[in-house]
C-alpha cells in the first residue's frame, strides 16, 4: 500500500534502518525508561503507544507489563509500521502488536491502563486524536508524553527560531509547530499533571492521571 503521509526523508531513513530492528539513539534511552516508569504499569496491564514509530519504546513498555500484559502500538505510516513489526518479530514478543492507523480513527477495543506518546505531537497536541484515545482509558490510567518545545531559557533566543524553521521540514504537514507549552491541549484533562524539561528546555516529558470521562467532558 502506498504511504500517503510520511515525509520522504523519514521513509528513506526507516528503510535504511530496516536491517537493524533494535536500532535506537543511546541518549534517548534514559528518557524512554523514565517515561515507562511514569506510566506505573504493572504485570497484566494494557498500554497504548500511539505514534509508536519503529517501536523504540517497546522494550521498556514490554518489560513493564511482562509476559501477561499487552503493548499496542498505533502508527499512521505503513512504512514505519513495517519496522515496528520487525522489532516485534526479532524479539519474538507475542503480546506486542501494531495497529496501522491514524490515532484519530484507530478502532480500539477494551480499556487500557496507560497511554504513551513519545515524540508524537500529531497525537498529544491534537484534539481529534485525544477524543478518540481518552475514552479508551480506564479511570486512573496514567498518560505520559514526550516531545519538542521552544526553550524559555537564555539560550532560547538563539535556537528557538532554528527549531521552528527546521521542524516543519522534518515532520508531517499536519504537525503543530512547537511552542513553550505543547502540553496545553492535554494537561487540563489530567489530574496530578507534571512536566519536566530536558535538553536545555527544548524537550519535555509530561505525565498525569486520566480521571475518567466525566472529568474529560467537563474540561
Ligand atoms: C517522531 S516519530 C516518534 C516515534 C516513536 N514514538 C519513537 O519514540 O521513536 C512520530 C511517529 O508518529 C507517527 N504519527 C504521526 N501522526 C500520527 C497519527 N495521527 N496517528 C498515529 N501515528 C502518527 C509518525 O508516523 C511517526 O512514526
Amino acid at each position: 500500500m502506498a504511504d500517503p503521509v510520511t515525509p520522504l526523508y523519514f521513509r528513506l531513513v526507516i528503510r535504511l534502518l530496516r536491517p537493524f530492528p533494535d536500532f535506537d539513539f543511546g541518549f534517548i534511552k534514559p528518557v524512554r525508561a523514565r517515561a515507562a516508569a511514569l506510566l506505573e504499569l504493572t504485570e497484566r496491564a494494557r498500554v497504548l503507544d500511539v505514534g509508536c514509530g519503529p517501536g523504540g519504546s517497546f522494550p521498556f513498555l514490554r518489560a513493564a507489563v511482562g509476559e501477561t500484559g499487552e503493548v499496542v502500538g498505533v502508527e499512521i505510516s505503513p512504512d514505519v509500521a513495517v519496522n515496528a513489526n520487525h522489532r516485534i518479530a526479532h524479539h519474538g514478543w507475542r503480546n506486542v502488536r501494531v495497529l496501522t492507523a491514524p490515532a484519530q480513527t484507530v478502532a480500539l477495543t477494551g480499556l487500557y491502563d496507560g497511554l504513551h506518546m513519545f515524540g508524537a505531537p500529531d497525537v498529544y497536541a491534537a484534539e481529534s486524536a485525544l477524543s478518540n484515545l481518552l475514552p479508551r482509558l480506564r479511570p486512573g490510567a496514567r498518560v505520559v508524553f514526550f516531545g519538542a518545545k521552544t526553550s524559555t531559557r537564555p539560550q532560547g533566543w538563539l535556537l528557538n527560531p532554528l527549531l521552528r524553521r527546521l521542524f516543519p521540514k522534518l515532520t508531517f504537514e499536519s504537525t503543530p509547530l512547537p511552542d513553550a507549552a505543547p502540553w496545553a491541549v492535554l494537561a487540563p484533562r489530567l489530574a496530578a499533571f507534571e512536566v519536566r524539561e530536558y535538553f536545555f528546555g527544548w524537550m519535555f516529558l509530561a505525565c498525569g492521571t486520566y480521571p475518567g470521562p466525566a472529568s474529560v467532558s467537563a474540561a
Side-chain angles (χ1 to χ4, degrees), residues 6 10 32 49-54 56-57 74-77 80 101-104 118-120 122-123 172:
T6 312
F10 195 31
R32 292 194 192 279
D49 183 10
V50 186
C52 67
S57 290
V74 176
E75 172 53 51
I76 197 171
S77 164
V80 179
Q104 285 78 356
F118 202 96
D122 295 86
V123 183
F172 291 31

Side-chain angles (χ1 to χ4, degrees), residues 7 112-113 126 183:
Y112 287 81
D113 305 290
W183 49 81

Side-chain angles (χ1 to χ4, degrees), residues 21-22 41 44-50 52-75 80-100 112 116:
D22 246 350
L41 298 164
R44 292 180 176 276
R46 303 182 77 211
V47 62
L48 276 174
D49 183 10
V50 186
C52 67
S57 290
F58 286 173
F60 302 91
L61 301 175
R62 170 64 171 65
V65 302
E67 296 282 342
T68 52
E70 191 183 5
V71 179
V72 176
V74 176
E75 172 53 51
V80 179
V82 169
N83 290 41
N85 280 317
H86 277 190
R87 190 186 297 261
I88 293 167
H90 175 74
H91 286 277
W93 291 323
R94 287 189 297 187
N95 57 346
V96 184
R97 65 195 163 97
V98 178
L99 304 175
T100 308
Y112 287 81
H116 178 265

Side-chain angles (χ1 to χ4, degrees), residues 48 50 102-106 108 115 117 122-137 185-186 189 210 213 216-217:
L48 276 174
V50 186
Q104 285 78 356
T105 54
V106 64
L108 299 166
L115 171 60
M117 298 163 283
D122 295 86
V123 183
Y124 62 68
E127 186 68 49
S128 53
L130 296 174
S131 62
N132 187 36
L133 299 171
L134 293 178
R136 305 295 353 151
L137 301 182
V185 179
L186 185 46
R189 290 139 178 268
Y210 175 64
V216 169
S217 55

Side-chain angles (χ1 to χ4, degrees), residues 147-202:
K149 64 183 280 294
T150 52
S151 178
T152 49
R153 299 187 194 185
Q155 311 88 318
W157 70 269
L158 183 64
L159 287 181
N160 287 345
L162 188 66
L163 178 71
R164 293 176 75 83
R165 275 193 95 111
L166 270 181
F167 207 73
K169 301 201 186 318
L170 300 176
T171 55
F172 291 31
E173 275 176 26
S174 56
T175 308
L177 267 183
D179 59 24
W183 49 81
V185 179
L186 185 46
R189 290 139 178 268
L190 302 175
F193 180 77
E194 286 174 38
V195 61
R196 177 174 168 178
E197 293 188 345
Y198 284 82
F199 308 120
F200 304 104
W202 277 293

Side-chain angles (χ1 to χ4, degrees), residues 6-28:
T6 312
L8 179 64
Y9 95 92
F10 195 31
R11 295 216 302 270
L12 290 175
V13 171
I14 277 293
R15 284 176 190 214
L16 283 173
L17 290 177
R18 215 157 261 170
F20 312 101
D22 246 350
F23 175 83
D24 199 13
F25 294 105
F27 73 91
I28 208 72

